[in-house]
Amino acid sequence: MPSAPKTLRTERLHLHVWDDTDAPELRALLDANDAHLRPWIPFMRHEPRDLAGTREVIASCRASFDAGEHYRYAVRERENGALVGETMLIGRGPAGSMEAGYWLDAGAVGKGYATEATAALVPVAFDVLGLEWVELHCDVRNDASIAVARRLGAVRVRVDRIEEDGRAVDLGIWRIDR
Ligand SMILES: CC(C)(COP(=O)(O)OP(=O)(O)OC[C@H]1O[C@@H](n2cnc3c(N)ncnc32)[C@H](O)[C@@H]1OP(=O)(O)O)[C@@H](O)C(=O)NCCC(=O)NCCS
């Protein structure tokens, strides 16, 4: 079965599969960005964790990467190695598709990094993994995320009303076709 590469390079960024050695930096970044990420990122429901819990998440990211289920990448600036966020392909949709996701350190927004990092996953999805389409799920109120989806060339195909923590959320389903 084809697998995504463990590292990728773009003009300004280095993407790599999460490693145990990243745990302290990831912990610090999530703690510093709690308010920025919590409204939009479902996994923030399980944060904050301690360092040991963060190591467990990283171990599970690596295991699912190796199993070809989810491909989650740390995103670093090439210039200085600073950890600035994450981009990913998550395998929870129908066969032939994966869901792209992304988040950035609040201090790293407005530079095009989310678009640049996630754009690197599109050829991986189609040319390496042989997928038919990539989905992006953006809360209809999340303008910054919607702008990334648009810049990636995604088209909104529908809006799903889901329930999150007991409240209704309208989730725009965006799609990039092969
Ligand atoms: C969603 C999120 C990653 C978007 O971040 P972002 O920085 O706005 O998006 P990009 O990194 O693609 O940057 C685009 C911006 O950088 C600007 N930019 C500056 N220099 C640039 C460059 N060299 N190349 C490209 N764009 C550049 C663009 O003009 C654009 O600015 P604008 O928003 O004023 O139009 C960020 O808001 C975030 O982390 N939000 C919380 C988590 C979240 O919502 N994740 C998505 C869940 S679905």
Side-chain angles (χ1 to χ4, degrees), residues 12 36-37 40-41 102-104 109-115 137-138 142 144-145 148 151:
R12 296 175 295 170
H36 167 61
L37 300 178
W40 310 119
I41 301 282
Y102 36 81
W103 59 266
L104 289 176
V109 301
K111 299 178 180 177
Y113 283 174
T115 303
H137 294 186
C138 309
N142 192 346
S145 181
V148 175
R151 281 191 291 270

Side-chain angles (χ1 to χ4, degrees), residues 41-55:
I41 301 282
F43 71 62
M44 288 304 290
R45 207 177 278 132
H46 309 295
E47 297 285 348
R49 293 179 163 87
D50 60 10
L51 187 57
T54 309
R55 288 190 194 285

Side-chain angles (χ1 to χ4, degrees), residues 34-135:
D34 195 290
H36 167 61
L37 300 178
R38 192 168 289 279
W40 310 119
I41 301 282
F43 71 62
M44 288 304 290
R45 207 177 278 132
H46 309 295
E47 297 285 348
R49 293 179 163 87
D50 60 10
L51 187 57
T54 309
R55 288 190 194 285
E56 283 170 23
V57 171
I58 286 178
S60 124
C61 284
R62 269 202 94 100
S64 66
F65 197 107
D66 292 341
E69 290 163 1
H70 308 309
Y71 300 111
R72 289 177 62 169
Y73 293 89
V75 178
R76 292 181 182 276
E77 288 179 335
R78 280 175 61 176
E79 196 181 16
N80 55 17
L83 182 65
V84 292
E86 184 178 24
T87 188
M88 62 200 93
L89 287 172
I90 301 293
R92 64 177 159 217
S97 75
M98 289 184 95
E99 183 186 326
Y102 36 81
W103 59 266
L104 289 176
D105 174 21
V109 301
K111 299 178 180 177
Y113 283 174
T115 303
E116 183 173 322
T118 310
L121 302 186
V122 175
V124 170
F126 296 137
D127 304 338
V128 180
L129 303 175
L131 300 179
E132 293 300 320
W133 78 94
V134 172
E135 281 190 4

Side-chain angles (χ1 to χ4, degrees), residues 25-39:
E25 274 171 294
L26 175 59
R27 185 68 262 138
L29 205 62
L30 290 174
D31 287 343
N33 283 281
D34 195 290
H36 167 61
L37 300 178
R38 192 168 289 279

